[in-house]
Amino acid sequence: MAKGLSVKHLLGIKNINADDINLIFETAENFKEIINRPIKKVPSLRDITIANLFYENSTRTRLSFELAERRLSADVLNFSASSSSVSKGETLVDTVNNILSMKVDMLVMRHPNPGAAVFLSKHISANIINAGDGTHEHPTQALLDAFTIKEKLGNIQGKKIAIIGDIMHSRVALSNIFCLKKLGAEVMVCGPTTLIPKYISSLGVKVSHNLREVLNWCDVANMLRIQLERQDIKYFPSLREYIMQFGLNKSILDSLDKKIIVLHPGPINRGVEITSDVADSSQSVILDQVENGVAIRMAVLYLLAGKVSE
Ligand code: CP
């Protein structure tokens, strides 16, 4: 096992290797044990200052990173584009350089533009964690998803994992595919033809447009939201038709001859990609994913903080 990460930034899962992922998991297991103790805080990042830059809305990722930073005793700055001088025309690089002048060591950034974190990493020296960049990558989401699958099924190697829904606009799908393939899983994507990009099979995944066939095949179903905010045209005739073909409900789940586990990165659209009785069922691990997100983000922050002076 490697002693440190092979990268200075976490820009995407594409840029890291299986040793990096396993090191993050091993570190997260330790942190998960710590955050379930009565005293949840450790002094590991006491001398580190981290700025959370959110140029796009977030509930889980933002709170999870902030909690992870505070559990590690880091100093935390929160920046929200909507209430900043970005509205007065300040560029991303100028904004970030001003923040870094305040002696900030690490950045966590969510941005609507694919490649924003990669772009920034070429202009500044601080460590960057990509908290989701448009339709590109959401590395910590993929790590917490895979960590949760490993926790529930014991291993990722050889497991059959389905990613179902709006693959085209999903950074979660792309990061999950990179992560799961690096860990030896079989991956199948499922959704309407119009929401599955043509290049996807070049990533080594199978493609299906038949939900029942996919559910009969898989051990894990990761249900994705239809990202209407990223769609400039209509990709399917109606939401009702989408639900009929690709929505996961309890009667389909109960009709399978094995108990699969159900993931969802959130936010859920109850009654669209997943019904409430599935989301709240014993086969759903959605809240385990959220719990594991804090430990995974603590692990990533801790491991990258070891590279602050590089
Ligand atoms: N899963 C996820 O990224 O959720 P948020 O958009 O609420 O952060």
Side-chain angles (χ1 to χ4, degrees):
M1 181 65 65
K3 286 206 170 61
L5 295 178
S6 66
V7 290
K8 179 182 171 186
H9 311 287
L10 181 62
L11 302 174
I13 302 292
K14 191 177 183 181
N15 315 102
I16 64 173
N17 58 46
D19 279 350
D20 291 325
I21 297 170
N22 286 320
L23 178 62
I24 292 168
F25 286 1
E26 202 176 274
T27 311
E29 275 166 26
N30 292 330
F31 282 130
K32 184 163 178 181
E33 190 266 312
I34 289 169
I35 59 179
N36 279 293
R37 291 179 191 165
I39 296 168
K40 299 170 170 56
K41 229 168 153 163
V42 287
S44 313
L45 299 195
R46 204 175 38 200
D47 301 322
I48 299 284
T49 303
I50 304 171
N52 299 313
L53 276 59
F54 277 73
Y55 284 80
E56 194 186 67
N57 293 345
S58 169
T59 299
R60 279 146 290 272
T61 312
R62 184 180 183 137
L63 293 176
S64 179
F65 266 113
E66 186 173 343
L67 197 56
E69 292 153 6
R70 294 190 188 282
R71 295 274 191 257
L72 291 166
S73 304
D75 289 323
V76 179
L77 281 182
N78 285 314
F79 166 94
S80 176
S82 56
S83 57
S84 74
S85 290
V86 168
S87 60
K88 299 173 194 164
E90 194 169 43
T91 67
L92 175 61
V93 173
D94 281 341
T95 302
V96 171
N97 274 328
N98 276 270
I99 291 169
L100 293 178
S101 303
M102 300 177 207
K103 308 298 173 213
V104 166
D105 302 295
M106 298 173 75
L107 297 172
V108 172
M109 185 172 77
R110 169 166 288 192
H111 201 281
N113 294 349
V118 175
F119 167 79
L120 199 57
S121 72
K122 296 186 194 313
H123 289 84
I124 61 163
S125 58
N127 307 69
I128 304 171
I129 300 171
N130 179 5
D133 58 334
T135 55
H136 179 222
E137 281 226 38
H138 192 349
T140 55
Q141 180 68 47
L143 289 166
L144 73 89
D145 291 345
F147 183 82
T148 305
I149 296 168
K150 182 170 183 264
E151 192 177 65
K152 299 292 170 192
L153 302 185
N155 206 352
I156 303 281
Q157 176 80 36
K159 294 292 179 297
K160 293 177 174 164
I161 301 175
I163 305 173
I164 297 160
D166 182 356
I167 310 299
M168 173 90 86
H169 300 97
S170 173
R171 54 194 174 210
V172 174
L174 200 55
S175 288
N176 259 271
I177 290 168
F178 290 136
C179 188
L180 296 167
K181 294 294 295 177
K182 282 174 200 237
L183 296 176
E186 285 184 59
V187 181
M188 191 182 287
V189 295
C190 175
T193 318
T194 48
L195 287 177
I196 299 194
K198 297 225 179 329
Y199 67 80
I200 208 84
S201 44
S202 71
L203 303 179
V205 306
K206 299 183 181 82
V207 177
S208 171
H209 306 292
N210 182 324
L211 179 66
R212 187 167 283 281
E213 174 188 282
V214 172
L215 294 173
N216 276 316
W217 170 84
C218 71
D219 304 303
V220 178
N222 195 347
M223 304 303 298
L224 303 182
R225 181 174 66 88
I226 298 293
Q227 308 224 355
L228 291 172
E229 74 277 20
R230 298 192 206 283
Q231 298 181 10
D232 43 5
I233 57 168
K234 276 178 92 81
Y235 286 85
F236 44 85
S238 71
L239 211 49
R240 190 173 136 87
E241 197 153 332
Y242 179 86
I243 295 165
M244 281 167 62
Q245 284 201 51
F246 298 103
L248 179 57
N249 61 47
K250 197 73 166 57
S251 71
I252 303 176
L253 197 62
D254 289 345
S255 72
L256 305 176
D257 57 14
K258 59 181 170 181
K259 286 231 181 275
I260 64 168
I261 60 167
V262 179
L263 281 80
H264 193 305
I268 298 174
N269 281 322
R270 286 176 183 261
V272 181
E273 66 274 7
I274 189 171
T275 53
S276 280
D277 50 7
V278 174
D280 303 331
S281 74
S282 60
Q283 284 166 262
S284 161
V285 297
I286 295 170
L287 294 179
D288 301 88
Q289 291 171 263
V290 178
E291 180 185 347
N292 287 335
V294 178
I296 283 288
R297 290 175 176 121
M298 286 175 80
V300 169
L301 290 160
Y302 172 78
L303 291 166
L304 285 181
K307 294 177 170 277
V308 157
S309 53
E310 285 180 16

